[in-house]
């Protein structure tokens, strides 16, 4: 209501003096008020005095807390040491696990024979395989000796006969995200990066490790017993890492399931931390900073400064408390949890592992180490370290960091675009330790030993390559006296292999972790017992990335020929010659007259060591020629959306690093399709020569239109096809419409035209698909379309579409149905794993699963080839080795020629195409062996010599 509407009040009459009867009471009231006022003044004065006293003497502090703080000072000053010395039991030993005697093993102990000098050991002298037995008890290696007597062993000892097989310490992966990025990848389980801030040294991977991640078991099946579980590289400071072992729960010899039960060193002598330089943080935090490498350096330095300030304040407090007693302290020990772990790192209590690629990033981080005085244990990925080993040697503390590498996974982003396959070799020659890592799930860590094997192939000495996944890694983790060697007193982490661990296709037969066997009935591949590799010192030679081009050349010393049509011209009793004129082979064999002509014309002559002449290889579907740097859109043709349709030939990009590297590895031909939504395929693929300079060069493009591609993987769930069922339905509708079209299609570059080509059996239909369920839908679709075509056509012969499955991770589940439907398969990759939900039932092979997808397809009679994954162009370099793995582990299903067909001639059969017939590859060493190298490649009427 308004003020004018307020009710009126009647004034009250106030007496001018108190009534007589109240006068004495007023006097007493005044006295009481004076007394109360005095009391208040006294209280206020007392409080003032107390406050003044406290201000002069400091606040009242808890003596118990101050004493606890003083004990914390001892922890702050503690300098960790690598655990070492004799033990009665492994700290991880579980009572009840029986002792095991492994008999008749061929053992790599991990160290040279006693008396070997450090210089000789670095050169590989003193290392070798020994025949011996190994006794495991109390979670430890108790004894390593020939023919250990049974008389003095416990009655409950279990005997395991290695039958002469190779035995090593468990493989150690120094860079993994298993458990924090469980597979298959699902949003709810992805916990590898804490993206609330760029600087998060305070988070811990242990708090996110899922011990039920199936990938823990998959990885172990490759002989990996120990992994360093790092946070991701989205942040400049990602947080603390933890070393775990791959034994989970009672089936693996443990008494419980939990992240802490996985810890490799329960006493946690050392702590570990992940940091990252370069592109990743810029990509993640570009909207709010850091925007540049300059900004990243500031973020690093500011964080180090904050932690250093806390260290200084703590040290000052600890010194004063120790000198004058805690009773004299006016404050508690300065402690801010946010900077505790980074402070520990600056105190040297944490092994820092830094994701760092480029020269600029490496030098900037080295500068940080010297400004704030802390060491670095290893630079990870470290693609450009081979260029600047002297920069690494300037790291504070006097100990150069190691380089944790991929063997040949490179060129996928700008900071990996300068790299070398021989990085490990070059670093080792410059006294920098190379180790090999998986970055699981980037590479399936089950096969991290394969990275070390390729390191050996690219020139790293054999002993150093094997150390790169065993002893060297153990030492870098501060566990060099606990794991990584077969030696009394070390943890009983042991792997028995079916062949030399660095050989192609090497597979564990049995694995022990802390003395507990990990498999009750392991699957053992049928293959002859192989001898250890005799280290090939010739692999240490330089790999020439730039070829010398020859037109006329002679190769001498050919010991085996698998070149199509030339096998009959070779006798195994004598070494053959190969004479090339104008870039084409004119003679294979003794070639007496041709050699005379070559001599008179001064042809270049190359004498080979164990020369092999073979067909070239074909790369399919990986993105070669349409996508160069995976992370950079400007280097790609681009990704088509749901409404776009294109031919790859119209966006072909040649003469780049990925193509040249692929060519140098004997892959002269590639078939690539337009990319769909950055992950899969849609459109018309093109067949081209990987060594061509441009698309108009003679022989550059040998098939403008190879196949029509569609995608029915998870990528298909988008836009007008939000589900797999709608995507399958849309493809069915398109094919039925094409089959029902009787009029010629005028636009011969349109999607409708190529669909018509498919239903008329003039063009194969390649469908990218992974799930067995969707493969079943494709089989049904094929049958339905064929039935419709037969219904509307007048052909007496039933129509059969040429349908090809690409990817096919779960193909083993429906292998017989695939065969019955007359469908071919291109496995990509050869050895799939549960990267995504539609790959979750992938077979990972022995010793864990009985067979692989390839085994099942071969048994069912499915025509099969193998290829690299889209976006993983680097895998094309390994096609010969992948064929070697398929051959060695096929259980007799494949001959050498069959295995080579998986990456060559089978594509011609599957797609119904003809590729250039004049291409050839010359190897030194067998094409399927780890010690083989491409010496020359013939293609487009010229010979490239490496």
């Amino acid at each position: 209501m308004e003020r004018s509407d307020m009710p009126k009040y009647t004034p009250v009459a106030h007496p001018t003096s108190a009534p007589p009867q109240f006068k004495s009471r007023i006097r007493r009231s005044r006295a009481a008020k004076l007394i109360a006022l005095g009391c208040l003044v006294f209280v206020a004065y007392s409080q003032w005095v107390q406050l003044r006293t406290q201000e002069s003497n400091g606040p009242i502090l808890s003596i118990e807390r101050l004493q606890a703080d003083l004990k914390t000072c001892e922890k702050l000053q503690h300098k960790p040491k690598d655990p070492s010395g004799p033990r009665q039991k492994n700290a991880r030993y579980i009572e009840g696990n029986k002792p095991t005697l492994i008999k008749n093993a061929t053992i790599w102990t991990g160290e040279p024979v006693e008396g070997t000098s450090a210089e000789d050991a670095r050169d590989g002298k003193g290392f070798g395989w020994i025949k011996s037995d190994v006794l495991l008890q109390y979670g430890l290696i108790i004894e390593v000796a020939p023919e250990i007597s049974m008389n003095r062993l416990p009655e409950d000892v279990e005997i395991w006969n290695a039958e002469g097989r190779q035995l090593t310490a468990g493989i150690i992966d120094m860079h993994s995200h298993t458990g924090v990025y469980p597979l298959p990848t699902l949003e709810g389980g992805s916990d590898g990066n804490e993206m609330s801030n760029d600087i998060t040294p305070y988070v811990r991977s242990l708090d996110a490790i899922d011990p039920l991640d199936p990938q823990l078991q998959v990885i172990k099946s490759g002989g990996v017993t120990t992994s360093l579980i790092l946070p991701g590289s989205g942040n400049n400071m990602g947080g603390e890492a933890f070393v775990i072992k791959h034994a989970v729960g009672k089936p693996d010899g443990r008494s419980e399931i939990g992240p802490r039960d996985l810890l490799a060193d329960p006493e946690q002598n050392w702590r570990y931390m992940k940091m990252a330089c370069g592109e990743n943080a810029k990509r993640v935090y570009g909207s709010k900073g850091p925007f540049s490498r300059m900004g990243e350096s500031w973020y690093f330095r500011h964080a180090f400064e904050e932690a250093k300030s806390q260290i200084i304040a703590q040290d000052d407090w600890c010194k004063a408390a120790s000198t004058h007693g805690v009773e004299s302290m006016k404050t508690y020990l300065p402690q801010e949890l946010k900077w505790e772990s980074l402070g520990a790192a600056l105190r040297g209590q944490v092994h820092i592992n830094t994701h760092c690629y480029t020269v600029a990033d490496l030098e900037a981080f080295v500068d940080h180490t010297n400004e704030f005085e802390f060491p670095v244990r290893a630079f990870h990925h470290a693609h450009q370290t081979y260029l600047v080993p002297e920069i690494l040697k300037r790291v504070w503390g006097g100990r150069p960091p190691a380089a944790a590498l991929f063997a040949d996974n490179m060129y996928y982003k700008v900071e990996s675009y300068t790299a070398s396959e021989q990085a490990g070799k070059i670093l080792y020659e410059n006294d920098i330790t190379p180790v090999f890592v998986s970055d699981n799930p980037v590479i399936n860590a089950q096969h991290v030993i394969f990275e070390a094997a390729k390191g050996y192939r690219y020139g790293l000495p054999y002993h150093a390559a094997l150390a790169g996944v065993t002893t060297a890694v153990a030492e870098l983790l501060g566990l060099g006296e606990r794991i990584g060697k077969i030696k009394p007193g070390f943890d009983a982490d042991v792997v028995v292999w079916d062949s030399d661990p660095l050989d192609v296709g090497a597979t564990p037969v049995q694995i022990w972790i802390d003395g507990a066997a990990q498999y009750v009935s392991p699957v053992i591949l049928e293959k002859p017992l192989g001898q250890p590799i005799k280290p090939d010192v010739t692999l240490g030679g330089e790999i020439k990335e730039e070829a010398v081009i020859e037109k006329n050349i002679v190769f001498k010393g050919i010991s085996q020929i698998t070149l199509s049509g030339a096998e009959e011209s070779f006798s195994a009793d004598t070494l053959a010659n190969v004479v090339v004129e104008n870039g084409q082979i004119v003679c294979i064999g003794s070639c007496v007259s041709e050699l005379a002509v070559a001599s008179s014309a001064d042809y270049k002559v190359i004498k080979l060591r164990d020369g092999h002449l073979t067909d070239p290889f074909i790369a399919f579907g990986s993105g070669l020629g349409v996508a160069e740097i995976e992370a950079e859109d400007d280097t790609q043709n681009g990704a088509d959306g749901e409404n776009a349709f294109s031919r790859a030939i119209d966006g072909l990009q040649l003469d780049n690093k990925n193509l040249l590297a692929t060519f140098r590895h004997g892959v002269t031909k590639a078939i690539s399709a337009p990319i769909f939504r950055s992950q899969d395929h849609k459109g018309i693929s093109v067949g081209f020569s990987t060594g061509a300079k441009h698309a108009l060069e003679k022989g550059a493009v040998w098939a403008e239109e190879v196949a029509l591609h569609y995608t029915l993987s998870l990528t298909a769930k988008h836009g007008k096809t939000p589900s797999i069922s709608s995507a399958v339905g849309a493809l069915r509708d398109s094919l039925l419409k094409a089959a029902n079209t009787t009029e010629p299609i005028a636009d011969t570059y349109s999607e409708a035209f190529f669909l018509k080509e498919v239903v008329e059996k003039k063009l194969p239909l390649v469908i990218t698909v992974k799930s067995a369920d969707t493969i079943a839908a494709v089989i049904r679709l094929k049958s339905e379309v064929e039935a419709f075509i037969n219904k509307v056509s007048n052909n007496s012969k039933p129509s059969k579409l040429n349908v090809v499955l690409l990817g096919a991770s779960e193909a083993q589940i429906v292998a017989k149905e695939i065969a019955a439907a007359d469908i071919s398969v291109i496995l990509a990759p050869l050895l799939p794993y549960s990267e995504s939900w539609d790959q979750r039932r992938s077979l990972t092979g022995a010793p864990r699963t009985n067979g692989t997808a390839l085994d099942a397809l071969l048994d069912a009679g499915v025509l099969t080839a193998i290829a690299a994954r889209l976006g993983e162009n680097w895998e094309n370099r390994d096609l010969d080795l992948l064929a070697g793995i398929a051959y060695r582990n096929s259980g007799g299903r494949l001959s050498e020629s069959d295995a080579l067909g998986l990456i060559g001639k089978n594509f011609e059969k599957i797609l119904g195409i003809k590729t250039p017939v004049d291409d050839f590859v010359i190897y030194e060493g067998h094409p399927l062996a780890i010690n083989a190298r491409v010496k020359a490649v013939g293609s487009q009427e010229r010979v490239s010599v490496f």
Side-chain angles (χ1 to χ4, degrees):
M1 59 182 67
E2 298 295 330
R3 180 175 292 275
S4 58
D5 298 325
M6 295 289 284
K8 302 293 189 288
Y9 288 90
T10 302
V12 177
H14 295 284
T16 56
S17 61
Q21 63 268 30
F22 290 110
K23 286 185 179 180
S24 61
R25 188 179 300 171
I26 290 174
R27 292 190 189 99
R28 289 194 295 269
S29 175
R30 285 176 179 173
K33 288 180 179 179
L34 288 173
I35 293 171
L37 178 62
C39 290
L40 288 173
V41 170
F42 176 77
V43 169
Y45 175 76
S46 299
Q47 290 178 339
W48 177 77
V49 170
Q50 185 177 8
L51 288 172
R52 288 293 303 271
T53 302
Q54 288 182 353
E55 287 176 4
S56 60
N57 296 331
I60 297 176
L61 303 179
S62 165
I63 293 297
E64 291 79 5
R65 181 175 170 183
L66 289 168
Q67 289 172 341
D69 282 351
L70 188 58
K71 290 183 178 180
T72 300
C73 289
E74 296 177 11
K75 296 178 182 179
L76 293 176
Q77 302 300 327
H78 172 68
K79 299 298 181 184
K81 293 182 180 179
D82 293 1
S84 63
R87 298 174 288 171
Q88 295 298 315
K89 292 182 181 180
N90 183 335
R92 286 176 46 85
Y93 173 69
I94 301 297
E95 294 293 340
N97 285 342
K98 295 180 180 180
T100 300
L101 177 63
I102 304 173
K103 295 186 67 66
N104 303 319
T106 304
I107 298 173
W108 183 267
T109 64
E111 63 182 12
V113 296
E114 189 175 351
T116 306
S117 68
E119 184 178 357
D120 283 347
R122 187 160 186 82
D123 291 338
K125 297 176 183 177
F127 287 92
W129 296 86
I130 62 172
K131 300 288 186 180
S132 191
D133 298 346
V134 183
L135 176 62
L136 313 178
Q137 191 174 18
Y138 304 124
L140 301 174
I141 297 171
I142 299 298
E143 186 176 1
V144 181
E147 300 183 3
I148 294 175
S149 173
M150 294 287 297
N151 295 332
R152 52 191 176 84
L153 298 182
E155 291 183 358
D156 62 345
V157 67
E158 296 182 341
I159 309 300
W160 200 92
N161 193 343
E163 299 178 342
R165 296 185 180 98
Q166 285 81 30
L167 181 153
T168 70
I171 302 304
I172 309 167
D173 185 2
M174 197 176 173
H175 188 135
S176 182
H177 303 294
T178 186
V180 295
Y181 281 124
L183 297 184
T185 300
L186 295 171
E187 185 176 349
S190 296
D191 291 302
N193 278 299
E194 174 48 54
M195 310 304 276
S196 58
N197 198 304
D198 179 50
I199 302 297
T200 58
Y202 40 80
V203 301
R204 307 181 301 180
S205 68
L206 186 69
D207 297 327
I209 293 174
D210 178 4
L212 301 181
D213 178 5
Q215 189 68 2
L216 285 164
Q217 300 295 338
V218 171
I219 292 169
K220 177 174 62 183
S221 72
V224 178
T225 57
T226 306
S227 296
L228 176 62
I229 307 303
L230 297 159
S233 54
N235 298 350
N236 285 135
M237 291 186 181
E240 287 199 64
F242 291 80
V243 181
I244 69 162
K245 290 194 180 182
H246 288 258
V248 183
K250 291 183 179 180
D252 295 351
R254 307 303 301 159
S255 60
E256 62 179 81
I257 297 175
R260 288 201 171 273
D261 190 64
L262 299 176
L263 291 176
D265 177 19
E267 297 169 352
Q268 294 183 260
N269 288 276
W270 284 102
R271 296 166 68 180
Y272 310 87
M273 184 174 289
K274 170 73 175 295
M275 299 185 186
C277 319
E279 291 185 35
N280 285 13
K282 290 201 304 172
R283 292 181 189 279
V284 171
Y285 292 100
S287 61
K288 59 181 181 180
F291 297 93
S292 68
R293 284 178 164 84
M294 295 184 293
E296 287 187 14
S297 276
W298 161 245
Y299 275 63
F300 273 124
R301 295 177 68 217
H302 181 61
F304 287 133
E305 181 185 45
E306 292 287 331
K308 190 72 173 180
S309 296
Q310 178 163 285
I311 288 173
I312 292 171
Q314 289 174 337
D315 289 350
D316 289 346
W317 189 97
C318 292
K319 183 178 180 180
S322 298
T323 303
H324 305 293
V326 295
E327 298 82 1
S328 65
M329 302 308 295
K330 299 179 181 179
T331 64
Y332 295 115
L333 175 68
Q335 295 185 81
E336 187 177 355
L337 186 60
K338 179 179 181 180
W339 300 116
E340 186 278 329
S341 56
L342 189 57
L346 295 183
R347 290 182 182 278
Q349 299 170 348
V350 180
H351 287 324
I352 295 176
N353 292 268
T354 304
H355 159 125
C356 222
Y357 287 76
T358 69
V359 172
D361 289 333
L362 291 164
E363 186 159 55
F365 203 86
V366 168
D367 287 347
H368 301 333
T369 74
N370 286 292
E371 180 178 5
F372 294 96
E373 297 184 343
F374 65 91
V376 178
R377 208 64 171 179
F379 284 119
H380 289 239
H381 301 303
H383 281 60
Q384 294 180 23
T385 50
Y386 76 99
L387 296 172
V388 288
E390 67 280 2
I391 288 180
L392 272 62
K393 293 176 183 178
R394 295 204 294 265
V395 163
W396 185 87
R399 175 194 170 117
L405 307 167
F406 299 137
D408 51 14
N409 183 355
M410 53 188 68
Y411 301 168
Y412 47 87
K413 55 183 177 177
V414 170
E415 59 190 11
S416 70
Y417 204 58
T418 299
S420 171
E421 295 166 349
Q422 291 200 294
K425 167 188 177 292
I426 295 168
L427 288 164
Y428 189 77
E429 291 172 347
N430 285 273
D431 298 322
I432 302 295
T433 299
V435 298
F436 295 96
V437 297
S438 71
D439 196 10
N440 186 88
V442 173
I443 293 175
N444 180 4
Q446 176 190 5
H447 305 298
V448 71
I449 188 69
F450 188 41
E451 296 301 298
K454 289 184 289 183
Y456 166 65
R457 187 187 208 191
Y458 295 138
L460 185 64
Y462 177 93
H463 71 287
L466 195 47
V469 287
T470 53
T471 52
V473 190
E475 194 272 336
L476 289 165
L477 294 175
L479 299 173
E481 293 298 316
R482 289 290 183 256
I483 58 176
K485 295 179 183 179
I486 301 299
K487 186 176 180 180
F490 277 60
D491 289 4
D493 299 342
V494 176
V495 184
V496 174
W497 305 83
D498 64 8
S499 51
D500 188 298
L502 297 189
D503 207 350
V504 172
T507 304
V509 172
Q510 181 58 281
I511 299 164
W512 290 263
I513 297 180
D514 303 316
Q518 297 299 294
Y519 300 104
V520 175
S521 300
V523 175
I524 300 177
L525 298 174
E526 295 179 12
K527 60 172 70 171
L529 177 63
Q531 295 301 310
I533 290 173
K534 183 179 180 181
D536 187 347
V537 295
T538 65
L539 294 176
E542 180 184 0
I543 295 177
K544 297 177 180 178
E545 296 189 3
E546 296 293 329
V548 176
I549 306 301
E550 301 284 351
K551 283 282 191 178
N552 304 313
I553 190 169
V554 174
F555 296 97
K556 293 186 174 183
I558 299 292
S559 61
Q560 186 172 347
I561 296 174
T562 54
L563 182 69
S564 298
E567 299 95 330
E568 300 300 324
S569 62
F570 172 70
S571 171
D573 297 331
T574 59
L575 295 177
N577 303 307
V578 175
V579 181
V580 180
E581 291 182 1
N582 296 318
Q584 296 184 337
I585 295 175
V586 296
C587 182
I588 300 172
S590 58
C591 306
V592 176
S593 60
E594 288 83 0
L595 287 176
V597 172
S599 179
S600 62
D602 198 25
Y603 285 16
K604 184 179 181 64
V605 178
I606 294 181
K607 295 181 180 180
L608 301 168
R609 176 186 56 83
D610 189 23
H612 283 64
L613 172 64
T614 187
D615 288 317
F617 312 132
I618 299 175
F620 187 92
S622 65
L624 284 173
V626 293
E628 176 63 353
I629 302 176
E630 182 69 16
E632 294 292 337
D633 290 342
D634 288 354
T635 71
Q636 305 176 31
N637 170 50
D640 289 339
E642 59 187 295
N643 297 319
F645 183 85
S646 65
R647 302 187 309 156
I649 188 174
D650 297 326
L652 200 56
Q653 303 172 359
L654 302 181
D655 193 23
N656 54 49
K657 280 188 173 184
N658 273 305
L659 283 170
L660 294 176
T662 301
F663 179 82
R664 183 165 45 81
H665 282 264
V667 182
T668 68
K669 297 171 255 189
I671 300 169
S672 295
I675 296 174
F676 172 64
R677 293 193 62 225
S678 302
Q679 298 180 56
D680 284 306
H681 306 92
K682 180 184 177 182
I684 298 296
S685 53
V686 61
F688 62 97
S689 296
T690 57
K693 298 297 182 183
H694 56 81
L696 298 180
E697 187 179 59
K698 182 180 178 181
V701 175
W702 44 265
E704 290 191 8
E705 296 156 356
V706 174
L708 174 60
H709 293 251
Y710 285 100
T711 287
L712 290 177
S713 68
L714 298 177
T715 311
K717 298 196 298 183
H718 183 74
K720 294 181 180 179
T721 58
S723 63
I724 296 295
S725 57
S726 61
V728 172
L731 179 57
R732 180 192 295 110
D733 291 346
S734 296
L735 290 168
L736 292 175
K737 182 178 180 181
N740 205 31
T741 301
T742 57
E743 297 297 323
I745 297 173
D747 184 356
T748 58
Y749 299 102
S750 67
E751 184 174 6
F753 174 81
F754 291 112
L755 283 163
K756 186 70 172 174
E757 293 277 285
V758 167
V759 298
E760 292 179 351
K761 299 180 292 183
K762 297 177 182 178
L763 201 66
L765 174 63
V766 178
I767 300 176
T768 300
V769 59
K770 299 170 184 176
S771 164
D773 301 307
T774 311
I775 292 173
V778 171
I779 294 172
R780 189 182 305 110
L781 177 151
K782 179 177 184 288
S783 176
E784 292 165 346
V785 174
E786 288 172 345
F788 180 81
I789 294 171
N790 293 328
K791 180 179 178 180
V792 299
S793 68
N794 296 320
N795 295 334
S796 58
K797 186 177 181 181
S799 180
K800 289 285 186 181
L801 301 181
N802 184 4
V803 175
V804 182
L805 306 178
L806 174 60
S809 302
E810 297 182 351
Q812 78 281 351
I813 298 173
V814 287
K816 293 179 180 178
E817 290 78 7
I818 292 170
D822 197 21
I823 292 175
S824 302
V825 170
I826 301 172
L827 283 173
L830 167 66
L831 303 170
Y833 57 109
S834 302
E835 293 179 271
S836 57
W837 181 253
D838 53 355
Q839 297 171 284
R840 68 189 184 281
R841 295 174 288 183
S842 299
L843 291 182
T844 53
R848 189 167 176 263
T849 66
N850 188 10
T852 63
L854 178 62
D855 294 335
L857 291 167
L858 293 174
D859 288 343
V862 177
L863 182 56
T864 307
I866 59 177
R869 295 171 292 173
L870 177 63
E872 306 294 345
N873 284 330
W874 62 275
E875 290 180 350
N876 290 300
R877 306 174 189 224
D878 301 336
L879 288 178
D880 53 0
L881 296 179
L882 293 173
I885 292 171
Y887 167 65
R888 291 291 305 278
N889 295 351
S890 69
R893 295 176 179 87
L894 295 170
S895 66
E896 291 182 359
S897 179
D898 294 334
L900 290 168
L902 293 172
I903 55 174
K905 291 298 181 181
N906 284 17
F907 285 104
E908 297 185 359
K909 298 174 185 177
I910 288 171
L911 300 167
I913 59 174
K914 292 293 182 182
T915 63
V917 297
D918 295 328
D919 289 6
F920 63 89
V921 181
I922 299 283
Y923 272 87
E924 282 194 318
H926 195 289
L928 304 180
I930 196 65
N931 64 342
R933 273 202 195 150
V934 171
K935 186 65 177 177
V937 177
S939 181
Q940 296 180 268
E941 300 182 351
R942 57 179 178 257
V943 180
S944 301
V945 180
F946 298 100

